[in-house]
Amino acid sequence: MFQTAPIEAASQSELTSQMAARLRTALTTHLQQAYAPDQRKNLRLFSATETADLLGVTGQFLRKCHSDGSLPEPEVIKNGRRFYSGDEILQARHFLEASSRKPGKYLPGRREGDKLQVIQLMNFKGGSAKSTSAIHLCHYLALSGYRVLAIDLDPQGSLTGFCGIQTELEFEGASIYDALRYDDPVPMSEAVVETYFPGLHLAPARLVLSEFETETAVNAGRGVAFFEKLSLAIQSVESDYDVVVIDSPPALGFLTLTGLYAATSVIVPMTPSMLDLASTQQFVEMTSAYLGVIEDTGVKLDHDFFSFLITRDDPSDIPSQQIVSLMRALFQDRVVGATGLRSTAIGDASMLKMSIYEVARSEMTRSTYDRAKNSMDAVGSEIAGMLQKAWGR
């Protein structure tokens, strides 16, 4: 039961303390109702139609695989209809890949000689749908058979929350800060946790991550290099993953820069408005200056792609479409062709710290759901194609 009586306090510190306590109680109550008893999210089941679509096969082929024993039956069968867990879909990918004549058809990740792909999403303009874009990309790639590591470099922990770890309630265990800190850092493997989403691991963020900015400022004055810290941490676990997705804070500070150094590719999400366009121009200009400082140390940065992603796109809004057209005219193929649409389905899912992939079609207006999911699929598919191109395929 939430407290609704007026807050009376003798001092400002006592007032804010009581406000924080009420918010904490409300969050705890909400999370206990929204999640499983252990406060961890669970991925929904997928219908046979959805599963066949994810695997890139027909429903008839999937049924044949079950009938001839080449694929085990899923645990859940209701009224003769099969429903698959995320783990079962991933297991099916491994079974089908083993018998496929075309390598990478069901498991499209790295092969021998391929370098790890590290994608950083960055922009210092709040509201650019950066974290929303990051989690949808992570989920799309994981469902497509890639081994994905998500790294949350934002002390606010938005991506961490999307992955089922509630920073509002704190959590035990190491975070990305523990792998980056200057005093007695832990191995990156200790900062990575499995998520409820098969194929996706996470290096979570906590509020203490903001200390990295202060510590770096102090150590930089002593001549200690900071920009390679994340890169070295990732190198220690790179054999376990195909793709790393980094969600940066909405600022061009030391955290964003260490991510930029580690990245093999960069995506700049932006909404199509004149205000965001002006902000993005300043952001890119400042990024250029900082990259110049890093390169002056003798380091050569060579990103496979540096692209803009239009988010919260409304095709019916003429002024915003003028901005989209301007971006495409200025940067041609450096603007991702697909756009993340402005959608109530995505907005409603995000409010519950979910991606559209975690929501069943039956839970929303179908046309709204299909439009939103098709949008995220198109963005994910195009970026996956960019990854394949970077691998020479």
Side-chain angles (χ1 to χ4, degrees):
M1 187 74 178
F2 295 146
Q3 293 174 292
T4 57
I7 296 177
E8 297 180 0
S11 66
Q12 192 66 30
S13 61
E14 185 179 343
L15 172 67
T16 53
S17 176
Q18 290 185 40
M19 293 170 71
R22 288 195 179 187
L23 284 171
R24 185 179 185 86
T25 300
L27 283 168
T28 302
T29 303
H30 167 72
L31 293 171
Q32 288 173 342
Q33 294 172 346
Y35 296 148
D38 61 356
Q39 292 185 1
R40 291 190 63 84
K41 293 172 69 177
N42 293 295
L43 182 58
R44 68 178 177 90
L45 297 176
F46 293 83
S47 68
T49 301
E50 290 178 300
T51 300
D53 185 55
L54 286 169
L55 295 174
V57 301
T58 63
Q60 182 181 5
F61 177 82
L62 193 59
R63 289 190 295 273
K64 176 179 177 297
C65 288
H66 287 305
S67 63
D68 65 19
S70 57
L71 280 183
E73 289 282 0
E75 287 189 14
V76 178
I77 300 178
K78 300 177 182 178
N79 300 321
R81 299 177 61 192
R82 298 180 177 91
F83 292 86
Y84 301 77
S85 69
D87 285 318
E88 288 170 332
I89 293 174
L90 186 57
Q91 183 183 41
R93 286 190 178 278
H94 284 277
F95 276 114
L96 294 172
E97 179 70 19
S99 59
S100 175
R101 297 179 181 178
K102 182 180 178 182
K105 181 177 181 179
Y106 299 102
L107 292 172
R110 296 165 67 192
R111 303 175 197 170
E112 186 175 354
D114 291 340
K115 71 177 181 181
L116 177 71
Q117 291 295 314
V118 182
I119 305 174
Q120 169 149 329
L121 284 85
M122 54 186 282
N123 197 332
F124 65 20
K125 176 69 170 64
S128 61
K130 181 172 52 58
S131 297
T132 301
S133 299
I135 193 61
H136 279 89
L137 179 59
C138 287
H139 284 178
Y140 177 87
L141 292 174
L143 286 172
S144 298
Y146 293 86
R147 300 171 300 162
V148 184
L149 171 62
I151 298 179
D152 193 350
L153 284 187
D154 187 349
Q156 297 179 80
S158 296
L159 186 62
T160 299
F162 271 121
C163 288
I165 297 178
Q166 305 312 313
T167 55
E168 299 92 340
L169 305 181
E170 288 299 314
F171 58 90
E172 297 181 0
S175 68
I176 186 61
Y177 169 74
D178 297 293
L180 297 180
R181 67 192 184 201
Y182 289 85
D183 295 330
D184 194 25
V186 305
M188 182 66 164
S189 58
E190 294 184 17
V192 173
V193 297
E194 291 188 27
T195 73
Y196 64 95
F197 208 100
L200 175 62
H201 290 182
L202 169 72
R206 300 174 70 174
L207 192 58
V208 70
L209 180 58
S210 60
E211 293 295 320
F212 181 80
E213 299 286 343
T214 304
E215 293 171 5
T216 298
V218 172
N219 283 276
R222 300 171 182 166
V224 179
F226 76 91
F227 48 80
E228 62 183 8
K229 291 184 73 65
L230 181 60
S231 178
L232 293 173
I234 291 173
Q235 285 177 25
S236 67
V237 296
E238 68 171 300
S239 61
D240 297 328
Y241 304 102
D242 303 313
V243 185
V244 175
V245 177
I246 302 172
D247 186 26
S248 305
L252 197 55
F254 295 123
L255 284 167
T256 299
L257 291 176
T258 192
L260 186 61
Y261 178 83
T264 59
S265 302
V266 175
I267 293 177
V268 180
M270 62 166 289
T271 58
S273 71
M274 190 56 69
L275 183 62
D276 281 72
L277 182 64
S279 176
T280 300
Q281 182 273 325
Q282 295 175 346
F283 172 75
V284 174
E285 188 170 338
M286 289 179 64
T287 301
S288 174
Y290 281 118
L291 286 173
V293 172
I294 294 176
E295 290 175 344
D296 285 345
T297 66
V299 175
K300 185 175 185 294
L301 295 175
D302 185 18
H303 294 123
D304 291 323
F305 55 86
F306 193 114
S307 303
F308 296 95
L309 170 64
I310 305 298
T311 62
R312 296 179 177 165
D313 182 27
D314 183 355
S316 66
D317 185 69
I318 295 177
S320 71
Q321 293 311 297
Q322 291 174 338
I323 300 294
V324 174
S325 297
L326 174 61
M327 289 295 294
R328 297 199 188 284
L330 290 173
F331 300 108
Q332 291 90 38
D333 59 354
R334 289 194 178 273
V335 180
V336 177
T339 64
L341 296 181
R342 182 186 297 276
S343 168
T344 56
I346 295 173
D348 290 348
S350 296
M351 287 180 64
L352 297 174
K353 296 188 177 180
M354 301 169 69
S355 77
I356 195 67
Y357 299 108
E358 299 176 86
V359 182
R361 187 169 182 252
S362 59
E363 296 176 7
M364 293 184 174
T365 303
R366 294 192 172 186
S367 59
T368 303
Y369 177 88
D370 290 344
R371 181 171 172 268
K373 183 176 178 297
N374 290 341
S375 165
M376 294 296 100
D377 282 347
V379 171
S381 176
E382 187 166 346
I383 294 176
M386 294 158 74
L387 295 176
Q388 293 292 323
K389 183 178 180 181
W391 283 326
R393 299 198 278 275

